Amino acid sequence: MVKLAAKCILAGDPTVGKTALAQIFRSDGTHFQKSYTLTTGVDLVVKTVPVPDTGDSVELFIFDSAGKELFSEMLDKLWESPNVLCLVYDVTSEQSFTNCGKWLEKARAQAPGGSLPGVLVGNKTDLASRRAVDSAEARAWALGQGLECFETSVKEMENCEAPFHCLAKQFYHLYREKVDVFHTLV
Amino acid sequence: MRKVDLCLSSEGSEVILATSSDEKHPPENLIDGNPETFWTTTGMFPQEFIICFHKHVRIERLTVQSYFVRTLKIEKSTSKEPVDFEQWIEKDLVHTEGQLQNEEMVVRDGSATYLRFIIISAFDHFASVHSISAEGIVISNLS
Protein backbone atom coordinates (compact mmCIF):
# COMPACT_ATOMS: atom_id res chain seq x y z
CA MET A 1 0.00 0.00 0.00
CA VAL A 2 1.18 3.50 -0.74
CA LYS A 3 -0.25 6.94 -0.15
CA LEU A 4 1.11 9.48 -2.59
CA ALA A 5 1.04 13.24 -2.06
CA ALA A 6 0.45 15.59 -4.98
CA LYS A 7 0.59 19.33 -5.19
CA CYS A 8 -2.33 20.27 -7.44
CA ILE A 9 -2.46 23.77 -8.81
CA LEU A 10 -5.78 25.25 -9.79
CA ALA A 11 -5.45 27.65 -12.70
CA GLY A 12 -7.72 29.79 -14.82
CA ASP A 13 -9.17 33.29 -15.17
CA PRO A 14 -10.97 35.04 -12.29
CA THR A 15 -14.65 34.10 -11.77
CA VAL A 16 -14.55 30.81 -13.74
CA GLY A 17 -15.34 28.97 -10.48
CA LYS A 18 -11.99 27.60 -9.29
CA THR A 19 -12.66 28.18 -5.61
CA ALA A 20 -16.26 26.92 -5.86
CA LEU A 21 -15.00 23.75 -7.57
CA ALA A 22 -12.34 23.13 -4.92
CA GLN A 23 -14.77 23.79 -2.07
CA ILE A 24 -17.46 21.51 -3.44
CA PHE A 25 -14.86 18.79 -3.84
CA ARG A 26 -13.66 19.36 -0.28
CA SER A 27 -17.17 19.17 1.14
CA ASP A 28 -18.22 16.09 -0.91
CA GLY A 29 -20.77 18.12 -2.82
CA THR A 30 -22.58 19.64 0.13
CA HIS A 31 -21.43 23.19 -0.13
CA PHE A 32 -22.01 25.54 -3.06
CA GLN A 33 -20.74 28.99 -2.43
CA LYS A 34 -23.49 31.29 -3.64
CA SER A 35 -21.79 34.63 -3.39
CA TYR A 36 -18.53 35.34 -5.13
CA THR A 37 -15.48 36.36 -3.18
CA LEU A 38 -12.26 37.13 -4.97
CA THR A 39 -9.48 34.83 -3.82
CA THR A 40 -6.41 36.72 -2.72
CA GLY A 41 -3.19 34.90 -1.98
CA VAL A 42 -3.92 31.20 -1.74
CA ASP A 43 -6.37 28.74 -0.20
CA LEU A 44 -5.34 25.17 0.45
CA VAL A 45 -7.74 22.23 0.18
CA VAL A 46 -6.42 18.81 1.22
CA LYS A 47 -8.27 15.63 0.38
CA THR A 48 -7.37 11.97 -0.08
CA VAL A 49 -8.63 10.19 -3.17
CA PRO A 50 -8.50 6.38 -3.44
CA VAL A 51 -7.11 4.87 -6.62
CA PRO A 52 -9.69 2.34 -7.91
CA ASP A 53 -8.72 -1.35 -7.93
CA THR A 54 -5.66 -0.80 -5.71
CA GLY A 55 -5.27 -0.34 -1.98
CA ASP A 56 -3.44 2.88 -2.81
CA SER A 57 -4.46 6.51 -2.56
CA VAL A 58 -3.36 10.00 -3.48
CA GLU A 59 -3.58 12.92 -1.07
CA LEU A 60 -4.25 16.02 -3.15
CA PHE A 61 -2.96 19.35 -1.84
CA ILE A 62 -4.99 21.76 -3.95
CA PHE A 63 -3.45 25.22 -4.19
CA ASP A 64 -6.27 27.60 -5.07
CA SER A 65 -4.57 30.85 -5.98
CA ALA A 66 -5.98 34.12 -7.21
CA GLY A 67 -6.99 34.08 -10.88
CA LYS A 68 -6.09 37.71 -11.35
CA GLU A 69 -2.43 37.03 -10.77
CA LEU A 70 -1.45 35.54 -14.12
CA PHE A 71 1.54 37.81 -14.36
CA SER A 72 2.49 38.23 -10.73
CA GLU A 73 5.74 37.03 -9.21
CA MET A 74 3.84 35.84 -6.16
CA LEU A 75 2.30 33.12 -8.30
CA ASP A 76 5.73 31.83 -9.36
CA LYS A 77 6.45 31.12 -5.72
CA LEU A 78 3.08 29.51 -4.98
CA TRP A 79 3.28 27.37 -8.07
CA GLU A 80 6.79 26.02 -7.45
CA SER A 81 7.13 22.32 -8.39
CA PRO A 82 3.52 21.40 -9.13
CA ASN A 83 2.66 17.70 -9.55
CA VAL A 84 -0.69 18.02 -11.33
CA LEU A 85 -2.72 20.81 -12.93
CA CYS A 86 -6.45 21.52 -12.84
CA LEU A 87 -7.11 24.12 -15.54
CA VAL A 88 -10.57 25.70 -15.37
CA TYR A 89 -12.52 27.90 -17.81
CA ASP A 90 -16.09 29.16 -17.98
CA VAL A 91 -18.09 27.69 -20.89
CA THR A 92 -19.90 31.06 -21.24
CA SER A 93 -16.65 32.97 -21.67
CA GLU A 94 -14.62 32.56 -24.86
CA GLN A 95 -11.89 34.68 -23.31
CA SER A 96 -11.46 32.38 -20.30
CA PHE A 97 -11.01 29.44 -22.69
CA THR A 98 -8.52 31.29 -24.89
CA ASN A 99 -6.46 32.20 -21.84
CA CYS A 100 -6.06 28.52 -20.88
CA GLY A 101 -3.06 28.35 -23.22
CA LYS A 102 -1.27 31.02 -21.19
CA TRP A 103 -2.11 29.39 -17.85
CA LEU A 104 -0.93 26.03 -19.15
CA GLU A 105 2.35 27.44 -20.39
CA LYS A 106 2.99 29.14 -17.07
CA ALA A 107 2.20 25.99 -15.08
CA ARG A 108 4.33 23.71 -17.28
CA ALA A 109 7.33 26.01 -16.95
CA GLN A 110 7.36 25.16 -13.22
CA ALA A 111 6.92 21.39 -13.50
CA PRO A 112 9.75 19.12 -12.36
CA GLY A 113 11.14 16.90 -15.11
CA GLY A 114 9.11 18.84 -17.68
CA SER A 115 5.96 16.72 -17.33
CA LEU A 116 2.74 17.88 -15.72
CA PRO A 117 -0.35 15.65 -15.78
CA GLY A 118 -3.47 17.74 -16.06
CA VAL A 119 -7.19 18.14 -16.71
CA LEU A 120 -9.16 20.84 -18.53
CA VAL A 121 -12.47 21.67 -16.85
CA GLY A 122 -15.25 23.66 -18.53
CA ASN A 123 -17.46 24.94 -15.71
CA LYS A 124 -20.94 26.55 -15.59
CA THR A 125 -22.68 24.12 -17.98
CA ASP A 126 -25.92 25.07 -16.18
CA LEU A 127 -25.86 28.36 -18.12
CA ALA A 128 -26.67 26.47 -21.33
CA SER A 129 -28.29 29.40 -23.16
CA ARG A 130 -25.15 31.52 -22.72
CA ARG A 131 -22.65 28.86 -23.80
CA ALA A 132 -19.85 30.39 -25.87
CA VAL A 133 -17.30 27.56 -25.95
CA ASP A 134 -18.13 24.48 -27.99
CA SER A 135 -17.49 21.16 -26.20
CA ALA A 136 -15.87 19.58 -29.24
CA GLU A 137 -13.54 22.54 -29.72
CA ALA A 138 -12.42 22.36 -26.09
CA ARG A 139 -11.97 18.61 -26.31
CA ALA A 140 -9.81 18.89 -29.43
CA TRP A 141 -7.58 21.52 -27.82
CA ALA A 142 -7.24 19.49 -24.60
CA LEU A 143 -6.33 16.39 -26.57
CA GLY A 144 -3.65 18.29 -28.46
CA GLN A 145 -2.18 19.43 -25.12
CA GLY A 146 -2.30 15.99 -23.53
CA LEU A 147 -4.98 17.04 -21.03
CA GLU A 148 -8.04 15.02 -20.04
CA CYS A 149 -11.24 16.97 -20.59
CA PHE A 150 -14.30 17.50 -18.37
CA GLU A 151 -17.38 19.69 -18.19
CA THR A 152 -18.94 20.51 -14.83
CA SER A 153 -21.64 22.53 -13.21
CA VAL A 154 -20.52 23.38 -9.73
CA LYS A 155 -23.85 25.08 -9.16
CA GLU A 156 -25.81 21.91 -10.01
CA MET A 157 -23.07 19.80 -8.37
CA GLU A 158 -22.56 17.88 -11.57
CA ASN A 159 -19.37 15.98 -12.32
CA CYS A 160 -17.28 17.94 -9.79
CA GLU A 161 -15.41 14.94 -8.39
CA ALA A 162 -14.38 13.42 -11.72
CA PRO A 163 -11.56 15.85 -12.63
CA PHE A 164 -9.84 15.32 -9.27
CA HIS A 165 -10.19 11.54 -9.43
CA CYS A 166 -8.66 11.67 -12.88
CA LEU A 167 -5.73 13.76 -11.61
CA ALA A 168 -5.12 11.28 -8.79
CA LYS A 169 -5.15 8.42 -11.28
CA GLN A 170 -2.73 10.18 -13.65
CA PHE A 171 -0.34 10.97 -10.79
CA TYR A 172 -0.50 7.38 -9.59
CA HIS A 173 0.40 6.11 -13.07
CA LEU A 174 3.30 8.55 -13.19
CA TYR A 175 4.56 7.10 -9.90
CA ARG A 176 4.31 3.55 -11.25
CA GLU A 177 6.26 4.58 -14.37
CA LYS A 178 9.04 6.15 -12.31
CA VAL A 179 9.29 3.13 -10.01
CA ASP A 180 9.73 0.97 -13.12
CA VAL A 181 12.60 3.27 -14.14
CA PHE A 182 14.18 2.96 -10.66
CA HIS A 183 14.09 -0.84 -11.06
CA THR A 184 16.13 -0.71 -14.26
CA LEU A 185 19.00 1.32 -12.82
CA VAL A 186 21.15 -1.43 -11.32
CA MET B 1 40.58 -0.56 14.22
CA ARG B 2 38.39 -2.35 11.69
CA LYS B 3 36.74 -0.14 9.06
CA VAL B 4 33.21 -1.16 8.29
CA ASP B 5 30.14 0.14 6.50
CA LEU B 6 28.58 1.75 9.55
CA CYS B 7 25.16 2.22 7.95
CA LEU B 8 24.42 -1.44 7.31
CA SER B 9 21.48 -2.87 9.18
CA SER B 10 23.62 -5.98 9.65
CA GLU B 11 25.99 -3.77 11.69
CA GLY B 12 23.10 -2.73 13.91
CA SER B 13 22.00 0.49 12.22
CA GLU B 14 18.38 1.38 11.72
CA VAL B 15 16.24 3.88 9.81
CA ILE B 16 14.11 5.42 12.55
CA LEU B 17 12.15 7.92 10.45
CA ALA B 18 11.19 8.39 6.81
CA THR B 19 8.66 10.89 5.53
CA SER B 20 7.57 8.62 2.66
CA SER B 21 6.80 4.96 2.60
CA ASP B 22 5.65 2.59 -0.07
CA GLU B 23 5.28 -0.88 1.46
CA LYS B 24 7.01 -2.29 -1.58
CA HIS B 25 9.97 0.09 -1.24
CA PRO B 26 10.44 0.65 2.49
CA PRO B 27 13.19 2.72 4.12
CA GLU B 28 14.96 -0.47 5.30
CA ASN B 29 16.09 -0.80 1.68
CA LEU B 30 18.41 2.18 2.23
CA ILE B 31 20.76 0.23 4.47
CA ASP B 32 20.43 -3.40 3.40
CA GLY B 33 23.68 -3.22 1.42
CA ASN B 34 21.89 -4.02 -1.82
CA PRO B 35 21.65 -1.21 -4.42
CA GLU B 36 19.00 -3.15 -6.32
CA THR B 37 16.48 -2.41 -3.59
CA PHE B 38 15.51 1.21 -2.96
CA TRP B 39 13.35 3.65 -1.04
CA THR B 40 11.11 6.00 -3.00
CA THR B 41 9.73 9.40 -2.20
CA THR B 42 5.98 9.43 -2.75
CA GLY B 43 5.34 13.04 -3.68
CA MET B 44 6.24 16.64 -2.83
CA PHE B 45 9.54 17.85 -1.38
CA PRO B 46 11.35 18.15 0.99
CA GLN B 47 11.54 14.49 2.07
CA GLU B 48 13.78 13.09 4.76
CA PHE B 49 14.98 10.04 6.63
CA ILE B 50 17.08 9.50 9.75
CA ILE B 51 19.63 6.72 10.28
CA CYS B 52 20.48 5.68 13.84
CA PHE B 53 23.80 3.91 14.44
CA HIS B 54 23.04 2.94 18.05
CA LYS B 55 26.75 3.74 18.63
CA HIS B 56 29.17 6.64 18.56
CA VAL B 57 30.92 6.43 15.21
CA ARG B 58 33.40 8.45 13.19
CA ILE B 59 32.61 8.59 9.50
CA GLU B 60 35.42 9.16 7.00
CA ARG B 61 33.72 8.53 3.70
CA LEU B 62 30.03 8.72 2.82
CA THR B 63 28.44 7.30 -0.34
CA VAL B 64 24.90 7.99 -1.53
CA GLN B 65 23.41 6.10 -4.47
CA SER B 66 20.24 7.70 -5.75
CA TYR B 67 18.20 8.81 -8.75
CA PHE B 68 16.59 12.18 -9.55
CA VAL B 69 17.90 13.76 -6.31
CA ARG B 70 18.79 17.40 -6.90
CA THR B 71 19.67 19.14 -3.63
CA LEU B 72 20.63 16.99 -0.67
CA LYS B 73 21.27 18.24 2.85
CA ILE B 74 22.81 16.04 5.52
CA GLU B 75 22.70 16.84 9.22
CA LYS B 76 24.21 14.87 12.08
CA SER B 77 23.74 14.50 15.77
CA THR B 78 26.05 13.19 18.47
CA SER B 79 23.31 12.92 21.10
CA LYS B 80 21.84 9.73 22.50
CA GLU B 81 18.42 10.80 21.27
CA PRO B 82 17.62 12.04 17.74
CA VAL B 83 17.82 15.71 18.71
CA ASP B 84 20.22 18.65 18.28
CA PHE B 85 20.99 18.00 14.63
CA GLU B 86 23.60 20.26 13.14
CA GLN B 87 24.10 21.14 9.48
CA TRP B 88 26.92 19.00 8.05
CA ILE B 89 26.87 18.67 4.24
CA GLU B 90 24.86 20.28 1.46
CA LYS B 91 25.25 19.11 -2.14
CA ASP B 92 23.72 19.81 -5.52
CA LEU B 93 23.79 16.55 -7.43
CA VAL B 94 23.98 16.13 -11.18
CA HIS B 95 21.31 14.18 -13.06
CA THR B 96 22.75 11.05 -14.67
CA GLU B 97 20.22 9.82 -17.24
CA GLY B 98 19.63 6.08 -17.02
CA GLN B 99 22.15 5.37 -14.28
CA LEU B 100 22.40 5.81 -10.54
CA GLN B 101 23.82 8.99 -9.07
CA ASN B 102 26.85 7.80 -7.16
CA GLU B 103 27.92 10.55 -4.76
CA GLU B 104 31.10 9.82 -2.82
CA MET B 105 32.13 12.28 -0.16
CA VAL B 106 35.29 12.29 1.90
CA VAL B 107 34.08 13.99 5.05
CA ARG B 108 35.50 15.88 8.00
CA ASP B 109 34.23 16.07 11.56
CA GLY B 110 32.45 12.78 11.08
CA SER B 111 31.57 11.87 14.65
CA ALA B 112 27.89 10.99 14.89
CA THR B 113 25.19 8.90 16.47
CA TYR B 114 22.48 9.85 13.96
CA LEU B 115 22.43 11.10 10.37
CA ARG B 116 19.51 13.00 8.91
CA PHE B 117 19.20 13.16 5.10
CA ILE B 118 16.93 15.82 3.63
CA ILE B 119 16.09 15.79 -0.07
CA ILE B 120 15.31 19.44 -0.65
CA SER B 121 14.45 19.12 -4.33
CA ALA B 122 14.51 16.63 -7.18
CA PHE B 123 14.80 16.50 -10.96
CA ASP B 124 11.40 14.80 -11.26
CA HIS B 125 8.15 14.29 -9.34
CA PHE B 126 9.74 11.37 -7.45
CA ALA B 127 13.23 10.36 -6.39
CA SER B 128 14.76 7.09 -5.20
CA VAL B 129 17.62 6.35 -2.83
CA HIS B 130 19.22 2.95 -3.34
CA SER B 131 22.00 2.87 -0.80
CA ILE B 132 23.63 4.92 1.94
CA SER B 133 26.99 3.75 3.16
CA ALA B 134 29.43 5.29 5.60
CA GLU B 135 32.97 4.03 5.90
CA GLY B 136 34.54 4.67 9.30
CA ILE B 137 35.11 3.35 12.76
CA VAL B 138 33.09 2.65 15.86
CA ILE B 139 34.22 4.89 18.72
CA SER B 140 32.10 3.53 21.55
CA ASN B 141 28.79 2.02 22.43
CA LEU B 142 25.99 4.22 23.72
CA SER B 143 25.90 3.85 27.47
Side-chain angles (χ1 to χ4, degrees):
Chain A
M1 237 172 53
V2 61
K3 186 179 191 177
L4 305 178
K7 175 172 178 172
C8 171
I9 54 175
L10 204 51
D13 280 4
T15 76
V16 297
K18 297 185 296 298
T19 301
L21 181 66
Q23 291 305 325
I24 211 144
F25 175 63
R26 180 186 64 83
S27 67
D28 295 313
T30 58
H31 176 76
F32 175 67
Q33 176 191 344
K34 289 200 179 64
S35 58
Y36 175 73
T37 50
L38 177 71
T39 305
T40 51
V42 67
D43 280 339
L44 181 63
V45 171
V46 183
K47 191 168 166 180
T48 301
V49 180
V51 180
D53 307 319
T54 67
D56 303 328
S57 57
V58 178
E59 190 169 30
L60 291 174
F61 291 75
I62 302 168
F63 283 61
D64 175 17
S65 46
K68 66 175 172 55
E69 300 197 20
L70 180 52
F71 302 105
S72 91
E73 281 174 27
M74 165 97 159
L75 201 57
D76 291 343
K77 195 71 200 159
L78 292 172
W79 278 19
E80 225 174 333
S81 301
N83 296 123
V84 294
L85 167 70
C86 181
L87 183 54
V88 189
Y89 68 97
D90 170 353
V91 298
T92 71
S93 159
E94 180 75 43
Q95 184 67 42
S96 73
F97 175 64
T98 314
N99 280 342
C100 282
K102 291 176 196 158
W103 287 109
L104 181 62
E105 191 184 335
K106 190 171 175 72
R108 285 207 167 133
Q110 303 255 29
S115 71
L116 185 63
V119 293
L120 177 71
V121 180
N123 185 34
K124 305 194 189 179
T125 54
D126 48 285
L127 302 175
S129 61
R130 285 167 49 194
R131 182 187 272 272
V133 182
D134 182 51
S135 294
E137 185 194 350
R139 191 160 294 276
W141 182 78
L143 193 70
Q145 297 294 337
L147 301 170
E148 300 251 7
C149 190
F150 294 87
E151 286 196 348
T152 60
S153 165
V154 175
K155 190 171 172 228
E156 304 295 332
M157 298 181 191
E158 271 173 22
N159 214 23
C160 299
E161 300 263 322
F164 296 105
H165 285 258
C166 178
L167 286 172
K169 198 181 75 189
Q170 290 188 54
F171 189 60
Y172 181 74
H173 285 304
L174 187 65
Y175 176 68
R176 287 275 155 250
E177 272 173 36
K178 297 300 168 187
V179 168
D180 287 343
V181 171
F182 301 153
H183 273 295
T184 64
L185 295 171
V186 178
Chain B
M1 233 178 271
R2 188 172 69 104
K3 280 191 189 174
V4 292
D5 181 354
L6 299 163
C7 287
L8 284 177
S9 44
S10 57
E11 295 290 329
S13 291
E14 197 183 353
V15 180
I16 56 160
L17 176 142
T19 48
S20 277
S21 180
D22 181 341
E23 274 177 358
K24 295 194 181 105
H25 307 285
E28 293 78 49
N29 288 353
L30 292 162
I31 55 170
D32 63 359
N34 177 8
E36 283 180 32
T37 63
F38 51 86
W39 169 77
T40 57
T41 69
T42 55
M44 309 215 296
F45 292 93
Q47 294 277 344
E48 66 173 83
F49 57 88
I50 295 176
I51 295 174
C52 169
F53 296 108
H54 292 295
K55 297 178 192 104
H56 285 288
V57 300
R58 193 169 68 232
I59 300 162
E60 290 161 5
R61 184 190 297 267
L62 192 64
T63 307
V64 178
Q65 291 188 311
S66 58
Y67 200 62
F68 284 147
V69 173
R70 187 171 203 149
T71 304
L72 177 67
K73 236 167 92 171
I74 308 169
E75 300 177 352
K76 69 185 180 75
S77 168
T78 51
S79 306
K80 278 183 198 170
E81 302 296 325
V83 293
D84 302 328
F85 282 92
E86 53 186 271
Q87 171 60 29
W88 191 33
I89 296 167
E90 179 156 355
K91 277 236 144 174
D92 284 318
L93 277 60
V94 176
H95 174 55
T96 50
E97 183 66 34
Q99 36 179 311
L100 284 181
Q101 295 165 310
N102 190 62
E103 197 67 28
E104 262 192 60
M105 297 161 259
V106 177
V107 299
R108 301 171 59 182
D109 310 320
S111 63
T113 47
Y114 294 90
L115 291 183
R116 178 182 187 187
F117 294 77
I118 307 164
I119 302 171
I120 305 282
S121 62
F123 290 102
D124 211 301
H125 295 272
F126 305 100
S128 59
V129 183
H130 294 246
S131 150
I132 301 287
S133 64
E135 196 180 291
I137 55 172
V138 175
I139 304 290
S140 65
N141 287 317
L142 287 181
S143 49

